[in-house]
Amino acid sequence: MMKKEFLIAGFGGQGVLSMGLFLAYGGIAEGKKVTYVPSYGAEMRGGTANCLVILSDRDISSPLISDPGIVVAMNQPSLAKFEPVVRPGGVLLINSSLAHRPAERQDITSYSIPAQEIANQVGLPRGANMVMLGALLEISKVLDFAASEDYLVKTFRGKYLNMMPLNLAAMEAGAQFIRNF
């Protein structure tokens, strides 16, 4: 049985909800059962944002997750708030560009990823989320990475199509960072 539970957290404007939506659309396209629960503050940018995503090959009884297997922390407040809830044996991805400490827990696997610096290197200054998404896909193996362009088109609904090559490059750079970790 395959069931992957994700919590992605950061602040508004970082693309946190888009990352979750990408996972949801990709899961649907690949015939998986999917739940996607976004949560965000009243602010459009700068407020808190997170989402819960479950991908499974069986029915999902509840969209809520108390101990996700994989957490993505895009900033320091998210790292502080959500590191404690990662399931023992789970994975924590830390955007070390904005979260300036490593994981404290010893019972999880953590990766500190300089997502902003990697995004800048590929020419996509606002692409830290795409770098982290590529890393997440490489670690979880939950979706077919080769189909990423199709899932991005669905996620952004035609917006930013001119940015597709850079988004894909940022995702590949994030996946490569994990391969070289």
Side-chain angles (χ1 to χ4, degrees), residues 29-44:
E30 293 185 14
K32 295 172 173 57
K33 308 289 185 179
V34 176
T35 64
Y36 168 71
V37 180
S39 174
Y40 45 89
E43 308 88 350
M44 286 298 285

Side-chain angles (χ1 to χ4, degrees), residues 95-114:
N95 174 10
S96 62
S97 300
L98 295 178
H100 305 293
R101 71 164 174 82
E104 295 172 346
R105 290 180 50 193
Q106 302 300 309
D107 63 339
I108 60 174
T109 302
S110 67
Y111 299 87
S112 290
I113 303 166

